[in-house]
Amino acid sequence: MTSASTDTDTPTGIRLHAPAPGWSIAADVVVVGSGVAGLTAALRCEAEGLRTVVVTKARLDDGSTRWAQGGIAAALGDGDTPEQHLEDTLVAGAGLCDEDAVRILVTEGPDAVRRLIATGAHFDESAEGGLELTREGGHHRRRIAHAGGDATGAEISRALVEAARARGVRTIENALVLDLLTDAEGRTAGVTLHVMGEGQHDGVGAVHAPAVVLATGGMGQVFSATTNPSVSTGDGVALALRAGAEVSDLEFVQFHPTVLFLGADAEGQQPLVSEAVRGEGAHLVDADGVRFMVGQHELAELAPRDIVAKGIMRRMQEQDAEHMFLDATHFGAAMWEHRFPTILAACRAHGIDPVHRPIPIAPAAHYASGGVRTDARGRTTVSGLYACGEVACTGVHGANRLASNSLLEGLVYAERIAADIAARRDRDRLPARVPRPLPYPEVPEHPLLAPEDRFAIQRIMTDGAGVLRSAASLERAAGQLRRLHRDAREALAENGKTAEPGVDTWEATNLLCVARVLAAAARLREETRGCHWREDRADRDDPAWRRHIVVRLNPDRTLAVRTTDTADFPPTRQHRPSQEQ
């Protein structure tokens, strides 16, 4: 694996328009996010004796992890091996996984799960007392450990939150992180943040630290319908871009095949119907009860998610239907109540009883396979800035994440980050440097969007860059996003006005930032690969496109977009001529 350089990239000097910090605290490490990746990193850093502060946007247990239903994948069962897990992951990633990164995941994963259990997480057990394992799409073995039937994320979150509180990890809840602070040499110096009404401080403040770990989760709210919670507005990716970091593979947004269909106009977070339901034998059918995935792939309904999502969309187009169905009526009431109580309750809350009739489903935005690019230790291209979990692009997922690898990636790479930060401290043999950040600018550096622009961005992205894409739809989306960006910049330049600083305007501005990058990368990739589906480029093109797309934000707020010369990940530092977007 080619290591990402830890040399500091040229800082952009761009920050969100916000009041100057009115208070500050010092730490060795600040972890942004409280899902499986963030809390694992924080607990490991704390165990190493590092002064650790966790900053989270809502409550400690309100991140994306708690919504994970299916489970966590690892080679823990009889007859299973890391090599088999590796092979399934590489196949799902459609030629863009970094094999070394995946090997780290699958070989370190089983012990990481055992350490999670030792931390206090309780997984479902078989009658013999071992872990009860199931299958999901793309897996040839039963290797998915689950908890509470279909409440794995909630159990992992509970265990990690309890451990963090028991060990006295300092936390700042209800806080939106705004920007990375850097010193005169461009090195990480902490973050600015805004505490939203509750918490230890009021208003905008700062945590000064030489190491920042981004574990902010995904960006699903860039689309109208998503399985992501409302807090998933791409804040970590946007922060990293403004700080000068590189992001990679953002065009690969996984649309989960089976999301409860609530109507063509449904918006916001939608109920997920876990892939584990298909793993236990549910069938995808059309309105006539025909199983349309049989014959499309050797695994039928258990094919990788991109293949299943495409199969559903094709059948919907053929039949001019708004949704398909997931039929698990043969499970019976007892199995539904024992194995999938959360999904059963969600369906019944919307007037659907899956015990007696099939569930209406359709794909919806679910998981970002790309993100802030890192090396094998979670280091980004900005010195002192780390990333793990969904916000990061480690090379594990390639063009399409294998089911239930996300929780495992959060565990494994969070532990590697903590080890690297501790090793850096031990290597220097000095107390962690409390950096002196550059003065906060008096003039707004980045215009803010109005809160209602959030919904405009979501409609633009759903229509133009959703599960089905084309050159025409992407060009239309990119143009509409450019106009939103230009209008905000011109208003600031002409009269010094921008939207009032606040959570709604900061989130809308972050969403525009990640939407522009996603649309630019999707326009550039003229092929269909993994979860990137171009209607006008239906085939995979390995000679031209078995490589990564890397994006940086220029100081003038244009996007510098390049492709790597090979499929190596992290991508090389040799840039092709940038294409301004």
Side-chain angles (χ1 to χ4, degrees):
M1 175 166 55
T2 304
S3 294
S5 170
T6 54
D7 295 337
T8 304
D9 280 335
T10 304
T12 65
I14 301 172
R15 291 178 180 170
L16 289 173
H17 178 32
W23 53 268
S24 66
I25 59 176
D28 297 327
V29 185
V30 55
V31 177
V32 186
S34 60
V36 61
L39 288 182
T40 298
L43 287 166
R44 298 296 180 267
C45 285
E46 189 77 18
E48 292 286 352
L50 295 160
R51 293 176 301 160
T52 305
V53 174
V54 174
V55 177
T56 187
K57 196 172 179 180
R59 306 293 294 180
L60 270 184
D61 59 354
D62 279 344
S64 294
T65 292
R66 63 176 292 207
W67 300 100
Q69 294 175 345
I72 185 166
L76 294 163
D78 292 340
D80 198 6
T81 65
E83 199 66 28
Q84 294 176 66
H85 190 183
L86 173 96
E87 183 60 29
D88 285 345
T89 301
L90 295 179
V91 170
L96 281 187
C97 295
D98 179 79
E99 186 168 338
D100 290 339
V102 178
R103 195 171 297 280
I104 287 169
L105 179 83
V106 299
T107 55
E108 298 183 10
D111 283 343
V113 173
R114 294 182 184 102
R115 284 189 289 273
L116 178 63
I117 293 171
T119 301
H122 301 293
F123 290 92
D124 296 336
E125 296 183 347
S126 64
E128 294 75 28
L131 287 176
E132 185 178 60
L133 302 175
T134 190
R135 279 181 66 193
E136 292 185 2
H139 293 273
H140 284 77
R141 290 274 188 177
R142 284 185 169 263
R143 65 168 65 98
I144 316 299
H146 49 83
D150 58 357
T152 308
E155 170 58 18
I156 290 173
S157 180
R158 179 206 63 77
L160 292 174
V161 167
E162 286 188 6
R165 287 174 173 159
R167 297 177 192 178
V169 176
R170 186 169 187 177
T171 61
I172 303 175
E173 296 180 290
N174 303 297
L176 171 63
V177 168
L178 303 177
D179 280 302
L180 189 75
L181 293 171
T182 54
D183 64 13
E185 285 74 42
R187 297 172 300 192
T188 292
V191 293
T192 55
L193 64 154
H194 172 75
V195 180
M196 299 177 281
E198 299 180 30
Q200 302 174 32
H201 305 278
D202 293 322
V204 174
V207 181
H208 295 161
V212 170
V213 181
L214 294 178
T216 52
M219 56 182 193
Q221 289 292 324
V222 78
F223 295 98
S224 296
T226 176
T227 63
N228 290 191
S230 62
V231 295
S232 297
T233 51
D235 306 320
V237 171
L239 176 151
L241 284 162
R242 288 193 297 271
E246 292 184 344
V247 304
S248 185
D249 299 353
L250 221 61
E251 68 272 30
F252 296 118
V253 175
Q254 189 175 73
F255 285 76
H256 198 288
T258 53
V259 176
L260 184 62
F261 181 75
L262 300 180
D265 297 326
E267 296 184 340
Q269 186 178 8
Q270 311 290 301
L272 176 67
V273 182
S274 170
E275 199 154 312
V277 179
R278 281 175 281 140
E280 295 292 351
H283 302 144
L284 286 166
V285 299
D286 60 20
D288 297 323
V290 176
R291 287 182 63 189
F292 55 86
M293 284 304 299
V294 175
Q296 293 198 35
H297 189 277
E298 61 168 332
L299 296 177
E301 285 92 350
L302 285 177
R305 287 179 179 175
D306 62 310
I307 294 171
V308 177
K310 290 170 188 174
I312 292 170
M313 292 299 296
R314 286 194 187 101
R315 196 66 158 192
M316 287 166 58
Q317 290 176 324
E318 291 169 1
Q319 300 188 343
D320 192 24
E322 292 183 323
H323 62 83
M324 289 288 109
F325 294 92
L326 184 66
D327 187 356
T329 53
H330 55 287
F331 283 5
M335 181 173 175
W336 268 109
E337 291 166 1
H338 168 73
R339 182 66 178 85
F340 302 111
T342 306
I343 298 170
L344 178 63
C347 288
R348 285 176 169 169
H350 291 282
I352 299 158
D353 189 348
V355 176
H356 299 293
R357 67 184 180 98
I359 306 167
I361 53 88
H366 181 58
Y367 190 91
S369 293
V372 185
R373 77 171 184 88
T374 73
D375 66 7
R377 297 189 179 108
R379 298 177 295 190
T380 74
T381 56
V382 173
S383 179
L385 179 65
Y386 297 78
C388 58
E390 190 173 355
V391 71
C393 188
T394 62
V396 161
H397 303 308
N400 182 51
R401 175 179 66 99
L402 180 65
S404 289
N405 269 357
S406 50
L407 292 175
L408 190 70
E409 184 196 33
L411 275 181
V412 169
Y413 281 87
E415 292 186 342
R416 293 178 74 83
I417 285 173
D420 190 73
I421 295 172
R424 190 174 68 177
R425 174 202 59 188
D426 295 341
R427 183 175 62 248
D428 295 341
R429 297 184 180 179
L430 292 170
R433 173 181 57 90
V434 178
R436 182 183 295 276
L438 292 173
Y440 207 75
E442 296 182 5
V443 179
E445 292 287 350
H446 200 296
L448 300 179
L449 271 65
E452 57 268 23
D453 287 334
R454 173 176 181 150
F455 304 105
I457 294 165
Q458 291 171 332
R459 287 191 293 271
I460 290 168
M461 293 298 288
T462 297
D463 291 342
V467 66
L468 291 176
R469 303 166 178 176
S470 67
S473 76
L474 291 165
E475 175 58 37
R476 182 174 65 249
Q480 293 170 325
L481 295 171
R482 276 197 300 269
R483 283 192 289 276
L484 283 174
H485 179 67
R486 184 190 62 226
D487 291 348
R489 288 187 64 184
E490 289 178 353
L492 180 63
E494 290 173 4
N495 53 35
K497 291 186 178 180
T498 188
E500 188 70 21
V503 173
D504 290 344
T505 56
W506 288 321
E507 286 186 334
T509 303
N510 285 339
L511 283 172
L512 178 60
C513 181
V514 298
R516 290 176 61 213
V517 174
L518 195 163
R523 286 176 66 203
L524 186 57
R525 184 173 291 280
E526 295 181 335
E527 66 161 354
T528 289
R529 182 184 296 271
C531 51
H532 172 67
W533 188 5
R534 288 280 298 259
E535 291 181 282
D536 55 334
R537 302 280 183 169
D539 297 323
R540 174 169 152 177
D541 185 355
D542 277 354
W545 287 110
R546 191 166 177 255
R547 57 194 68 198
H548 303 274
I549 295 175
V550 180
V551 183
R552 284 193 62 209
L553 187 64
N554 291 321
D556 65 356
R557 303 178 187 87
T558 58
L559 301 178
V561 185
R562 67 181 176 91
T563 60
T564 59
D565 293 320
T566 70
D568 291 344
F569 191 90
T572 60
R573 302 284 299 172
Q574 287 74 43
H575 287 222
R576 293 184 176 185
S578 296
Q579 301 181 29
E580 305 301 334
Q581 301 287 333

